[in-house]
Amino acid sequence: MSLVFTLVCVSLLSEVVSEERTVRYKIYEEVRPPTVIGTLASNVTWTPDKTRRTFPGIRFKLMSPSTGSFIRFRESDGRLTVEERVDRERVCKRNPRCVITFDVAFVSAEQFELFHVEVEVLDVNDNSPEFPRAECTVEISESAALGTRIALDAAEDADVGSNSIQTYHLSENTHFSIDVVTRVDGVKYAELVLVKELDRESRAFFALKLVAADGGHPAKSGATNVTVKVKDANDNSPLFDHIHYSVDVPEDTPVDSLLLDLNAVDPDEGLNGQVVYEFGKQVTKKIRQLFKLDYKTGHLTLQSPVDYEDETTYEIDVQATDLGHNPVPSVCKIIINIRDVNDNPPEIILTSITSVTDGVAHVSEATGQDILVALIGIKDKDTGVNGQVSCTLNGGHGNFRLKRAYEGSYTIVTMAPLDRENIAEYNLTVVAEDFGVPPLRTVTHYIIRLTDVNDNAPTFSAKIYEGFIEENQLPGTYITTILASDQDSGLNGEITYELFDTDTNSVSRFAIMNQAGNVYALQSFNYEVTKRLDLRIQASDRGWPQLHSNAVLIINVVDQNDNTPSISQPPLVNGSGEIQLPRDAPPGYIVTRIVAKDSDAGLNAELTYKLYDGGDFGFAIDPNTGEIYINRKIAYDEYDLWKVLVTVNDNGHPSLTSTATIHFTLTESTPSNGNFYDEREDGEPKQWMLILILALTSSSLLFLAILSFILCKSRKNGQKRQGYSTLPGYGKGNARPITVWKGNSMMTIAVRDPQISGKDSGKGDSDANDSDSDISEGLKKDYTSYKGLWACTSECRILGHSDRCWSPSVSVNSRHLSTFSRTRPCSQATLQRSSYDTQTNRSVALHSLTEDQQSQYDYIHVCSPQSQRRQDSENIVFTHSTKPIATESPGRFTEA
């Protein structure tokens, strides 16, 4: 027995060694069990630096489906032993090399190795040559020429190599010898060769013995008896067209296909010239089952399918014989070569290194990078390119890859750390495809389900939680529910909860939490003592090692109205207090103030004061402040003592009340001047007064903003008009100067000639007969008798005549001071003199100015002096109304 190592591939994982090795063992057949073949554990103690290491807890796993029934494998140390008698001929038949191959994976905490194990079974000479028949008979014509050959039966030996048949021996005689011939399939057989002429009359038959011997030590042999009969001469023997034939037959050739058309010719006539065909006597039974030879026609056809992977070559002897008396057969040799076609798809043998349940391999998510997961064996029975196979792996999501181990073998290894919470299951697809034409493909699915490790701590949805419980509740009252989650599974994902007091970091005395996440009170709470509790929640899983996470739970105690108001002022004795009342205290005088407190909170602590009894004496109490004051004149002469009953109510539900009896006794002291209820009320406006003031201020600001927007829009629309007056009767003619009053003096501005029309513009809101477009006959009013100009409104002056404001025509020579008059522009000196006049004589100066220059003046709009004026950066014109008219440009008037 010998041991051979072949190092195929070495890859380093940090400081961890990962190797694929081919380990070869040799054993002889027929060894008795329990012979030890070898122990793989002895091969896992060396690292590349030649340092011997030991691996406690090593484990080997057989990766191949079968090692043969005679080999036993022990997983603890990888020992291989012979389980039963080894028969090489049964295991490998006639294969010249008998090798049992399988794969073993070594797995430990520090490394893994893959071993490809080859156990070669060596042959021993345990079989003797055997002939198919103990006796055989051959015939030969007495006229046969020297050198004529007759094939004899071939002996068979199950052994191989030198232990198989090496030679044949023929018993001594004077007429025949043998020639050992090797067939194309490697089988040796003997041919009987005529070496001396025959004479049937002198000797009609020969009894010979043929012995086949192997080359073993010691050699073994087998023999058969050969009888040679000498026949009378026949003139002619059939002749084949060729002595040797070679036929190529694809292995996928259909049954009954014609392979060869043999033809042998005999020149004789009659029966002596009729030729028949048959297989030679040495043709094996297997060949006779695969091929069929037509007895009369010589057609060689395929009788059963052939398989290249079973046998690649067949050698067939065919003899042709005539039907005459004492025929002498002719023999030809046919070599049938089976040609391989791509008729076998690749075979995938996938073996998982981990446990498999219902076809699913379980791999721990803690598996590191470049760790062996499974072994893939690829086989293809075809040869050449038809047997060359490529292998690919799909569906690894970058976490698994295919690694070539050795010829026809691959490993699936991890590429990156695995995370079950990210991807829990992988459906890997192994595709093997040969290079034949057309290529054949085999697909195998390999499902990997990651097993969980406790690598995730429980997580809360928030860092801080709040719960609420009313005070005075019984122990065991439900407060809230808080749940944590854990992405792990099984025990690793089961969560337990504990509550701790943050101040003592011990188990909480106030609340308890069950495994459903429900929090319950352990005691009754008093809001006035404890308003809030801060607890720490610890969530722990049940994995190993156990992982924890924490959150904060704030329990707010909700106040209940369980405290009555407590009156602190004035001091009470048995619920009564005495207050001195100054004689002659007027109405509004604050006699005293009731001060009370409530330990509750919110509405439960808001207090309201009332006079339950005694209000008819002239006393009143402020419901908010508790101030007792005189609300009307008291008849001090009638009583010396007054008793009132005061109640203090909180706003809780139900409301709680405290009472106090106040006795007022008269004193001769003088009332304090600043201790009056009304003054305090005026000096300290209520909150609703402030709200009202703010509301009014906001409304005013909003109103001013809207008004400013309207005025700005009006000014913008006015600027879009052309620069001529919109007063009644003014067109686009040449501008004329007019004199107006501005400030304390007169000044001249340019305007255009009036084209006064008293007709309405007809905008829709006018009365009957006030429009030029009015068609109502008989109802029109005649305004030709009107000599004066109607007073226009502001809208009329800005937008022109409307239905609300219209003006009849006016005489050009009208002297009315309230209209536009034909005037002449006054000189600058005149204007300067008029500026020295006072308010009282301003109208006189203006009247005189218009009287003197009437025949020369243009139209001018004048008005009587007014006490209220407004001046801005634009020209100002006074009208009949008290509102001035301002022009932004000569001849354009807008309302100021």
Side-chain angles (χ1 to χ4, degrees):
M1 197 183 321
S2 62
L3 177 64
V4 180
F5 292 99
T6 302
L7 184 63
V8 177
C9 178
V10 178
S11 61
L12 298 181
L13 304 177
S14 299
E15 296 183 356
V16 179
V17 179
S18 173
E19 301 181 350
E20 290 88 15
R21 296 181 178 182
T22 299
V23 181
R24 296 188 176 95
Y25 299 101
K26 293 182 179 180
I27 62 171
Y28 287 97
E29 65 173 334
E30 304 296 339
V31 295
R32 296 182 178 181
T35 302
V36 177
I37 300 174
T39 303
L40 294 175
S42 61
N43 304 316
V44 194
T45 57
W46 294 94
T47 57
D49 59 358
K50 303 301 180 181
T51 302
R52 179 171 292 276
R53 302 171 63 188
T54 59
F55 297 93
I58 60 177
R59 184 174 68 90
F60 291 86
K61 181 177 177 60
L62 187 64
M63 304 295 293
S64 297
S66 175
T67 59
S69 60
F70 62 91
I71 297 179
R72 185 173 183 179
F73 175 77
R74 189 166 66 184
E75 290 188 347
S76 60
D77 56 359
R79 191 177 74 168
L80 303 173
T81 57
V82 175
E83 179 71 13
E84 62 182 27
R85 171 182 171 272
V86 181
D87 185 3
R88 181 192 179 283
E89 289 72 34
R90 180 175 61 85
V91 176
C92 299
K93 297 182 180 180
R94 294 188 56 82
N95 289 331
R97 188 167 182 264
C98 182
V99 179
I100 307 301
T101 62
F102 53 92
D103 297 289
V104 176
F106 161 72
V107 182
S108 73
E110 298 183 16
Q111 73 178 71
F112 81 89
E113 287 187 59
L114 179 64
F115 292 97
H116 180 65
V117 181
E118 294 183 357
V119 179
E120 183 178 1
V121 180
L122 301 178
D123 184 46
V124 295
N125 193 21
D126 57 343
N127 293 281
S128 299
E130 292 183 1
F131 285 93
R133 292 175 293 181
E135 294 183 357
C136 68
T137 301
V138 296
E139 295 178 347
I140 187 171
S141 175
E142 62 177 341
S143 61
L146 297 178
T148 301
R149 292 172 174 264
I150 300 175
L152 301 177
D153 290 341
E156 294 183 356
D157 193 332
D159 295 324
V160 294
S162 61
N163 294 327
S164 63
I165 297 175
Q166 300 298 316
T167 184
Y168 287 87
H169 302 283
L170 187 64
S171 59
E172 293 185 1
N173 66 90
T174 57
H175 289 77
F176 298 97
S177 67
I178 59 172
D179 186 14
V180 179
V181 180
T182 303
R183 293 195 315 222
V184 292
D185 57 358
V187 175
K188 294 181 178 181
Y189 66 96
E191 288 185 347
L192 189 64
V193 180
L194 181 63
V195 296
K196 184 179 179 180
E197 293 181 352
L198 298 174
D199 184 5
R200 184 177 181 280
E201 284 73 18
S202 61
R203 191 171 182 177
F205 69 91
F206 296 86
L208 305 175
K209 185 177 182 180
L210 181 64
V211 178
D214 60 26
H217 299 283
K220 295 185 176 183
S221 62
T224 184
N225 295 320
V226 179
T227 301
V228 180
K229 292 182 178 181
V230 180
K231 297 287 185 180
D232 288 337
N234 192 334
D235 293 342
N236 296 290
S237 298
L239 297 177
F240 285 98
D241 294 340
H242 303 282
I243 300 177
H244 297 280
Y245 292 91
S246 179
V247 180
D248 291 337
V249 178
E251 61 177 330
D252 61 347
T253 300
V255 175
D256 295 331
S257 296
L258 177 64
L259 305 181
L260 183 63
D261 185 7
L262 294 175
N263 183 37
V265 178
D266 191 326
D268 294 332
E269 296 181 354
L271 294 178
N272 293 335
Q274 294 183 10
V275 180
V276 293
Y277 305 88
E278 57 182 347
F279 288 123
K281 295 182 186 272
Q282 80 283 1
V283 174
T284 63
K285 182 178 180 180
K286 181 180 179 181
I287 294 177
R288 295 175 184 271
Q289 292 175 346
L290 293 175
F291 305 98
K292 179 181 179 182
L293 181 64
D294 190 275
Y295 178 74
K296 293 182 178 180
T297 62
H299 289 172
L300 183 65
T301 59
L302 186 64
Q303 185 169 252
S304 299
V306 291
D307 190 355
Y308 176 85
E309 289 71 35
D310 186 20
E311 196 72 49
T312 59
T313 306
Y314 296 95
E315 183 175 322
I316 305 175
D317 290 339
V318 176
Q319 63 184 16
T321 308
D322 60 34
L323 298 179
H325 183 67
N326 298 324
V328 177
S330 298
V331 179
C332 74
K333 190 178 293 295
I334 303 173
I335 305 298
I336 297 179
N337 299 306
I338 306 301
R339 183 161 50 87
D340 183 39
V341 296
N342 195 24
D343 60 342
N344 293 283
E347 181 182 356
I348 299 176
I349 303 172
L350 195 150
T351 307
S352 177
I353 197 172
T354 59
S355 61
V356 178
T357 304
D358 296 331
V360 177
H362 300 277
V363 177
S364 172
E365 65 172 327
T367 303
Q369 184 176 356
D370 211 10
I371 299 300
L372 177 66
V373 174
L375 178 67
I376 300 175
I378 304 295
K379 294 182 180 179
D380 196 320
K381 294 180 180 180
D382 297 322
T383 59
V385 294
N386 297 330
Q388 297 178 6
V389 181
S390 66
C391 187
T392 57
L393 179 68
N394 301 321
H397 297 283
N399 292 328
F400 295 93
R401 68 184 178 95
L402 201 64
K403 184 178 179 182
R404 186 180 179 91
Y406 46 86
E407 183 66 28
S409 182
Y410 299 84
T411 58
I412 298 178
V413 296
T414 57
M415 289 183 62
L418 305 176
D419 187 1
R420 188 196 67 86
E421 289 71 36
N422 185 22
I423 302 177
E425 187 173 288
Y426 297 84
N427 190 352
L428 304 181
T429 303
V430 180
V431 180
E433 183 175 316
D434 61 28
F435 292 90
V437 179
L440 299 180
R441 172 185 297 182
T442 301
V443 178
T444 298
H445 295 281
Y446 180 53
I447 299 176
I448 296 178
R449 186 170 298 157
L450 299 185
T451 57
D452 185 52
V453 296
N454 195 24
D455 57 348
N456 291 279
T459 57
F460 291 95
S461 59
K463 294 294 184 182
I464 300 176
Y465 296 89
E466 279 192 300
F468 298 88
I469 183 173
E470 295 180 346
E471 63 173 333
N472 305 323
Q473 295 293 324
L474 295 175
T477 301
Y478 168 80
I479 298 176
T480 186
T481 298
I482 297 173
L483 290 177
S485 60
D486 195 319
Q487 295 183 3
D488 295 324
S489 62
L491 292 177
N492 298 331
E494 293 184 8
I495 301 175
T496 60
Y497 301 93
E498 288 183 284
L499 283 177
F500 297 91
D501 295 335
T502 55
D503 52 352
T504 62
N505 202 29
S506 59
V507 177
S508 177
R509 301 162 294 166
F510 306 102
I512 192 172
M513 190 173 184
N514 64 9
Q515 301 314 306
N518 299 326
V519 180
Y520 300 92
L522 285 177
Q523 64 181 32
S524 180
F525 295 98
N526 186 354
Y527 175 82
E528 289 70 36
V529 176
T530 304
K531 295 180 174 59
R532 164 174 163 165
L533 286 173
D534 290 346
L535 304 179
R536 177 172 63 89
I537 312 171
Q538 177 175 288
S540 306
D541 58 29
R542 299 179 62 185
W544 181 260
Q546 193 174 46
L547 301 178
H548 314 276
S549 62
N550 296 283
V552 175
L553 172 61
I554 299 174
I555 299 178
N556 298 297
V557 180
V558 180
D559 181 49
Q560 295 295 301
N561 194 22
D562 57 346
N563 293 280
T564 59
S566 175
I567 299 175
S568 58
Q569 291 292 334
L572 302 179
V573 178
N574 296 326
S576 299
E578 186 174 340
I579 301 297
Q580 294 180 350
L581 174 64
R583 187 181 295 275
D584 299 329
Y589 179 77
I590 298 175
V591 181
T592 187
R593 181 180 180 183
I594 306 299
V595 178
K597 294 182 179 180
D598 196 317
S599 299
D600 295 322
L603 292 176
N604 298 330
E606 293 182 2
L607 304 179
T608 302
Y609 301 87
K610 296 179 183 179
L611 282 181
Y612 186 76
D613 189 15
D616 53 348
F617 294 139
F619 297 99
I621 189 170
D622 188 297
N624 298 315
T625 64
E627 295 172 336
I628 300 177
Y629 61 93
I630 300 173
N631 66 344
R632 61 182 174 85
K633 186 176 181 180
I634 299 177
Y636 294 101
D637 298 335
E638 297 180 3
Y639 302 97
D640 292 334
L641 179 66
W642 289 268
K643 181 177 72 172
V644 297
L645 181 62
V646 178
T647 62
V648 183
N649 301 78
D650 59 28
N651 291 334
H653 184 76
S655 178
L656 301 179
T657 304
S658 294
T659 61
T661 302
I662 307 299
H663 299 275
F664 295 106
T665 59
L666 289 177
T667 64
E668 298 301 330
S669 61
T670 304
S672 175
N673 292 331
N675 196 22
F676 284 89
Y677 183 75
D678 293 336
E679 293 178 0
R680 288 175 53 85
E681 189 176 42
D682 294 340
E684 298 179 3
K686 304 294 183 180
Q687 186 177 5
W688 62 269
M689 290 294 294
L690 295 176
I691 297 175
L692 180 59
I693 291 172
L694 291 175
L696 291 175
T697 303
S698 301
S699 301
S700 300
L701 292 175
L702 181 61
F703 175 77
L704 290 176
I706 295 175
L707 183 60
S708 299
F709 174 79
I710 294 175
L711 291 178
C712 291
K713 192 170 185 66
S714 299
R715 289 176 67 89
K716 186 179 293 185
N717 292 335
Q719 290 176 358
K720 292 182 180 180
R721 296 179 178 272
Q722 297 193 18
Y724 57 86
S725 174
T726 59
L727 289 173
Y730 276 76
K732 299 181 181 181
N734 295 330
R736 296 178 178 272
I738 65 170
T739 302
V740 299
W741 181 269
K742 182 176 184 183
N744 297 324
S745 62
M746 303 294 293
M747 67 178 296
T748 302
I749 62 175
V751 298
R752 304 183 185 277
D753 288 335
Q755 298 176 2
I756 300 176
S757 172
K759 295 299 182 179
D760 181 30
S761 61
K763 293 185 179 179
D765 60 344
S766 57
D767 295 331
N769 298 322
D770 64 353
S771 175
D772 289 335
S773 61
D774 199 327
I775 61 175
S776 303
E777 298 296 338
L779 296 178
K780 279 191 175 184
K781 297 180 182 180
D782 186 6
Y783 294 102
T784 57
S785 61
Y786 285 85
K787 302 299 183 180
L789 180 66
W790 286 74
C792 300
T793 64
S794 298
E795 181 183 0
C796 176
R797 298 188 186 99
I798 295 174
L799 303 176
H801 289 304
S802 69
D803 294 336
R804 297 185 183 90
C805 179
W806 56 276
S807 176
S809 60
V810 68
S811 174
V812 181
N813 296 324
S814 173
R815 286 170 163 259
H816 199 283
L817 293 179
S818 63
T819 64
F820 285 97
S821 302
R822 174 76 60 177
T823 62
R824 182 179 61 189
C826 60
S827 63
Q828 184 67 26
T830 305
L831 294 175
Q832 290 177 356
R833 285 195 302 271
S834 65
S835 65
Y836 296 112
D837 294 338
T838 62
Q839 290 286 352
T840 56
N841 59 9
R842 185 173 297 164
S843 60
V844 178
L846 181 60
H847 180 73
S848 175
L849 180 63
T850 55
E851 288 281 349
D852 295 340
Q853 299 179 353
Q854 178 178 359
S855 61
Q856 306 174 17
Y857 293 165
D858 249 327
Y859 287 99
I860 183 170
H861 187 192
V862 297
C863 65
S864 61
Q866 301 180 28
S867 61
Q868 183 179 358
R869 299 186 306 275
R870 188 174 61 139
Q871 182 176 355
D872 55 14
S873 60
E874 304 297 333
N875 296 328
I876 299 177
V877 177
F878 294 95
T879 64
H880 288 303
S881 66
T882 59
K883 296 181 180 180
I885 300 294
T887 62
E888 293 182 342
S889 60
R892 182 175 179 88
F893 295 87
T894 60
E895 184 178 357

mmCIF file of all heavy atoms in Angstrom, residues 201-216:
data_model
loop_
_atom_site.group_PDB
_atom_site.id
_atom_site.type_symbol
_atom_site.label_atom_id
_atom_site.label_comp_id
_atom_site.label_asym_id
_atom_site.label_seq_id
_atom_site.Cartn_x
_atom_site.Cartn_y
_atom_site.Cartn_z
ATOM 1 N N GLU A 201 -7.596 -38.820 -47.792
ATOM 2 C CA GLU A 201 -7.541 -40.254 -47.872
ATOM 3 C C GLU A 201 -6.558 -40.835 -46.854
ATOM 4 O O GLU A 201 -6.716 -41.963 -46.360
ATOM 5 C CB GLU A 201 -7.146 -40.728 -49.283
ATOM 6 C CG GLU A 201 -8.272 -40.634 -50.291
ATOM 7 C CD GLU A 201 -8.564 -39.179 -50.681
ATOM 8 O OE1 GLU A 201 -7.698 -38.285 -50.457
ATOM 9 O OE2 GLU A 201 -9.694 -38.924 -51.135
ATOM 10 N N SER A 202 -5.533 -40.065 -46.510
ATOM 11 C CA SER A 202 -4.560 -40.553 -45.542
ATOM 12 C C SER A 202 -4.961 -40.215 -44.108
ATOM 13 O O SER A 202 -4.717 -40.977 -43.180
ATOM 14 C CB SER A 202 -3.163 -39.986 -45.833
ATOM 15 O OG SER A 202 -3.182 -38.571 -45.740
ATOM 16 N N ARG A 203 -5.584 -38.988 -43.889
ATOM 17 C CA ARG A 203 -6.009 -38.603 -42.534
ATOM 18 C C ARG A 203 -7.203 -37.664 -42.655
ATOM 19 O O ARG A 203 -7.108 -36.600 -43.246
ATOM 20 C CB ARG A 203 -4.892 -37.925 -41.779
ATOM 21 C CG ARG A 203 -5.207 -37.749 -40.284
ATOM 22 C CD ARG A 203 -3.953 -37.272 -39.546
ATOM 23 N NE ARG A 203 -4.232 -37.143 -38.103
ATOM 24 C CZ ARG A 203 -3.337 -36.816 -37.198
ATOM 25 N NH1 ARG A 203 -2.065 -36.586 -37.602
ATOM 26 N NH2 ARG A 203 -3.642 -36.753 -35.925
ATOM 27 N N ALA A 204 -8.345 -38.102 -42.073
ATOM 28 C CA ALA A 204 -9.592 -37.342 -42.251
ATOM 29 C C ALA A 204 -9.814 -36.304 -41.151
ATOM 30 O O ALA A 204 -10.568 -35.350 -41.337
ATOM 31 C CB ALA A 204 -10.785 -38.284 -42.295
ATOM 32 N N PHE A 205 -9.169 -36.405 -39.962
ATOM 33 C CA PHE A 205 -9.355 -35.392 -38.906
ATOM 34 C C PHE A 205 -8.117 -35.361 -38.022
ATOM 35 O O PHE A 205 -7.327 -36.300 -37.977
ATOM 36 C CB PHE A 205 -10.605 -35.702 -38.077
ATOM 37 C CG PHE A 205 -10.498 -36.919 -37.207
ATOM 38 C CD1 PHE A 205 -10.049 -36.838 -35.886
ATOM 39 C CD2 PHE A 205 -10.822 -38.173 -37.720
ATOM 40 C CE1 PHE A 205 -9.950 -37.997 -35.126
ATOM 41 C CE2 PHE A 205 -10.718 -39.310 -36.923
ATOM 42 C CZ PHE A 205 -10.280 -39.233 -35.634
ATOM 43 N N PHE A 206 -8.044 -34.260 -37.236
ATOM 44 C CA PHE A 206 -6.948 -34.055 -36.293
ATOM 45 C C PHE A 206 -7.550 -33.670 -34.937
ATOM 46 O O PHE A 206 -8.450 -32.838 -34.853
ATOM 47 C CB PHE A 206 -5.994 -32.941 -36.751
ATOM 48 C CG PHE A 206 -5.282 -33.245 -38.029
ATOM 49 C CD1 PHE A 206 -5.863 -32.967 -39.277
ATOM 50 C CD2 PHE A 206 -4.016 -33.834 -38.016
ATOM 51 C CE1 PHE A 206 -5.199 -33.243 -40.438
ATOM 52 C CE2 PHE A 206 -3.364 -34.116 -39.210
ATOM 53 C CZ PHE A 206 -3.953 -33.824 -40.428
ATOM 54 N N ALA A 207 -7.067 -34.249 -33.846
ATOM 55 C CA ALA A 207 -7.496 -33.892 -32.486
ATOM 56 C C ALA A 207 -6.378 -33.107 -31.812
ATOM 57 O O ALA A 207 -5.288 -33.647 -31.553
ATOM 58 C CB ALA A 207 -7.831 -35.134 -31.687
ATOM 59 N N LEU A 208 -6.661 -31.821 -31.564
ATOM 60 C CA LEU A 208 -5.656 -30.907 -31.020
ATOM 61 C C LEU A 208 -6.138 -30.342 -29.681
ATOM 62 O O LEU A 208 -7.326 -30.319 -29.364
ATOM 63 C CB LEU A 208 -5.379 -29.760 -32.006
ATOM 64 C CG LEU A 208 -4.972 -30.190 -33.432
ATOM 65 C CD1 LEU A 208 -4.847 -28.962 -34.330
ATOM 66 C CD2 LEU A 208 -3.666 -30.976 -33.402
ATOM 67 N N LYS A 209 -5.191 -29.796 -28.913
ATOM 68 C CA LYS A 209 -5.522 -29.146 -27.643
ATOM 69 C C LYS A 209 -4.923 -27.737 -27.643
ATOM 70 O O LYS A 209 -3.724 -27.570 -27.856
ATOM 71 C CB LYS A 209 -4.978 -29.961 -26.462
ATOM 72 C CG LYS A 209 -5.385 -29.394 -25.099
ATOM 73 C CD LYS A 209 -4.883 -30.299 -23.973
ATOM 74 C CE LYS A 209 -5.349 -29.750 -22.620
ATOM 75 N NZ LYS A 209 -4.872 -30.634 -21.505
ATOM 76 N N LEU A 210 -5.818 -26.769 -27.361
ATOM 77 C CA LEU A 210 -5.390 -25.371 -27.331
ATOM 78 C C LEU A 210 -5.385 -24.896 -25.882
ATOM 79 O O LEU A 210 -6.388 -25.028 -25.166
ATOM 80 C CB LEU A 210 -6.339 -24.507 -28.168
ATOM 81 C CG LEU A 210 -6.003 -23.011 -28.236
ATOM 82 C CD1 LEU A 210 -4.666 -22.798 -28.944
ATOM 83 C CD2 LEU A 210 -7.112 -22.254 -28.968
ATOM 84 N N VAL A 211 -4.261 -24.345 -25.439
ATOM 85 C CA VAL A 211 -4.081 -23.893 -24.051
ATOM 86 C C VAL A 211 -3.828 -22.390 -24.057
ATOM 87 O O VAL A 211 -2.966 -21.903 -24.808
ATOM 88 C CB VAL A 211 -2.915 -24.628 -23.365
ATOM 89 C CG1 VAL A 211 -2.708 -24.098 -21.940
ATOM 90 C CG2 VAL A 211 -3.150 -26.133 -23.374
ATOM 91 N N ALA A 212 -4.605 -21.637 -23.202
ATOM 92 C CA ALA A 212 -4.391 -20.192 -23.006
ATOM 93 C C ALA A 212 -3.775 -19.974 -21.645
ATOM 94 O O ALA A 212 -4.240 -20.530 -20.639
ATOM 95 C CB ALA A 212 -5.714 -19.445 -23.098
ATOM 96 N N ALA A 213 -2.715 -19.162 -21.577
ATOM 97 C CA ALA A 213 -1.993 -18.932 -20.325
ATOM 98 C C ALA A 213 -1.895 -17.436 -20.053
ATOM 99 O O ALA A 213 -1.679 -16.638 -20.967
ATOM 100 C CB ALA A 213 -0.608 -19.556 -20.399
ATOM 101 N N ASP A 214 -2.059 -17.040 -18.752
ATOM 102 C CA ASP A 214 -1.895 -15.619 -18.374
ATOM 103 C C ASP A 214 -0.461 -15.384 -17.934
ATOM 104 O O ASP A 214 0.361 -16.312 -17.898
ATOM 105 C CB ASP A 214 -2.891 -15.221 -17.294
ATOM 106 C CG ASP A 214 -2.756 -16.015 -16.008
ATOM 107 O OD1 ASP A 214 -1.649 -16.496 -15.738
ATOM 108 O OD2 ASP A 214 -3.758 -16.109 -15.254
ATOM 109 N N GLY A 215 -0.188 -14.148 -17.511
ATOM 110 C CA GLY A 215 1.189 -13.797 -17.131
ATOM 111 C C GLY A 215 1.354 -13.602 -15.654
ATOM 112 O O GLY A 215 2.306 -12.929 -15.222
ATOM 113 N N GLY A 216 0.425 -14.110 -14.848
ATOM 114 C CA GLY A 216 0.539 -13.940 -13.418
ATOM 115 C C GLY A 216 1.601 -14.803 -12.810
ATOM 116 O O GLY A 216 2.225 -15.643 -13.475
#
